[in-house]
Amino acid sequence: MDQKMTTGGEKLIQCLEREGVEYIFGLSGGAALPMFDALADSKIELVLVRHEQGATHMADGYARSTGKPGVVLVTSGPGATNTVTGLLTALMDSAPMIVISGQTISPMLGKDAFQEADVTGITYPVVKHSYLVKEAAEIPRIVREAFHVATTGRPGPVLIDVPKDIGQGPCDAPFTDELDLPGYSIPARGDTDAIAEMARHLSASKKPLLYVGHGAVIAGAGKAITSLAEKLRAPVVNTLLGKGAVDETHPLHLGMLGMHGTAYANKAVADCDLIMAIGARWDDRITGKLEEFCPDAVKLHIDIDPAEFDKIVKPDVSVLGDARLVVEDLIPLVEMADTQTWLAQCERWRKQYPLKYPKKGGLRAQHVLDRLNHISGGDAIITTDVGQHQMWAAQFCLTRNGRQWISSGGAGTMGFGWPAAIGAKFANPDQKVWAVVGDGGFQMTLCELATAQIHKIAAKCLVVNNNYLGMIRQWQELFYENRLSGADLVGNPDFVKLAEAYDVKAFRIKRAGDVDRILQEAHDYEDGPCVVVAEVVKEDNVFPMIPAGAAVKDMIIEPPKEKLEKPTGST
């Protein structure tokens, strides 16, 4: 080969440089060697992880905290299939991501070659789009399209599968900014007639409620939604992933709604006469028993994905478009609604059903997270895993700005929180980043302590350790006559010693009186990653709780005294 000829792998890395990629999170392997070889001469920093799942969650954390796509590079076969969980997580939560996988050489495709997997076929249901590169000349076009698709409209993950012979073969194709995407359109401003109709409904409502989701965070619609809420004098609730779109300390904010949302938010949802979803899908954890979900309310829906309309709830008026642009167009059309009585009722519910937890009987996770919220001042980026700690963190760690709350919502991916925090810290080196994880999920990706330590990434990991798969134990206690099965994590390691084995600074909290001092010390520690292990009460439950498939009237606010029926809904 001509020494001056660029290889396919080099061209691909150069295309990533043109897209402004700073980091690639990846794990090397034979079929991906042409790309890894090209990275040796690139200004892009390779973050070598310990497991491909960790790479995808780091890329996800990077993406959600910046809005820019996170990039992953892995090899073929199991290297590629190990990204499937991360792809699903990113797809369900609309996170932009580019996963580049090596593949066996083109002549061996479909012949069960070593480490061959049909990764484009395997991942079709969990990507926004995927490419199998068949000719090196396609690389510039494919990379340009992949970034465009991943970041526009409803963001999502895109896969690029590169056979090794194409990666190491010649490529003299020029760079291009042209796009060849017939049928792919990006909604922007909404239909003016529909927006005007929405405005009439909002102005006439006596009990309006704004229901804000992750789409509002992605669109940067928070300022506009706050202005709309203030003009209407309408209360706001958010989904788990909608935290931070509107400052949760704002007087009109009622917190998170849904299965483990605040009681006052759910009371408002049940009693409103109008609910407007902004960048939020009508998730089953939000609606519960669908036929009893605010049945008498006018339902309005703003979304950038037309597939969300009529999927769960049929709205009275829907507007396809960017959430920020649509709300900005709405504001001048609405008139101040007569909501004084409604707001007074919401405040009564807020005082009647506050979030609370026992102050005695051992170290409480809620207390630790309440104090973390105080010490971080609501300014830290917080990532979470999935389970009880996630819901407690959502309840007690109030988020003031978008892109500060990063949690696996739709997929509910255990193992997400810690690597997502590493990715977020790479992207935001000057910002405090805390991962809140459970002892179950942490053990799925804790090998990335090594990744954080090598790069001196000063992300902090709070392990809420109750030695259980806590949410499973809670469900079995409440709905399965406390017949515990597959919930006890007997055999857990000493997480402090384990962190120290990675040469990572570690703390342990056993007493409530030590919480503030240790959290503050960890918060101030900037020499690298650190782990705080909170040894919390083993058997504690998350309340409020609306059992899956039930209605707001069935909400459990305190430990029940009677036997409960098994939930009819999913998880």
Side-chain angles (χ1 to χ4, degrees), residues 517-538:
R517 175 181 58 80
I518 292 177
L519 286 182
Q520 188 65 60
E521 188 175 348
H523 193 68
D524 296 339
Y525 183 75
E526 287 294 317
D527 292 340
C530 68
V531 172
V532 179
V533 183
E535 308 286 2
V536 302
V537 171
K538 289 190 66 175

Side-chain angles (χ1 to χ4, degrees), residues 81 204 336:
T81 58
M336 182 181 292

Side-chain angles (χ1 to χ4, degrees), residues 368 371-372 375 434 515-523:
V368 177
R371 298 312 298 166
L372 175 61
I375 288 169
W434 278 89
V515 170
D516 280 23
R517 175 181 58 80
I518 292 177
L519 286 182
Q520 188 65 60
E521 188 175 348
H523 193 68

Side-chain angles (χ1 to χ4, degrees), residues 26-97:
L27 189 61
S28 55
L33 283 178
M35 281 83 79
F36 279 94
D37 182 64
L39 272 174
D41 297 322
S42 172
K43 62 183 180 182
I44 299 174
E45 183 176 347
L46 170 65
V47 179
L48 180 63
V49 303
R50 292 301 189 265
H51 193 283
E52 291 88 350
Q53 182 182 350
T56 57
H57 298 330
M58 287 181 206
D60 198 323
Y62 176 93
R64 295 198 208 190
S65 65
T66 62
K68 299 186 290 186
V71 180
V72 174
L73 176 59
V74 297
T75 193
S76 62
T81 58
N82 281 343
T83 68
V84 171
T85 298
L87 288 166
L88 171 67
T89 306
L91 183 76
M92 291 287 277
D93 293 347
S94 308
M97 183 187 298

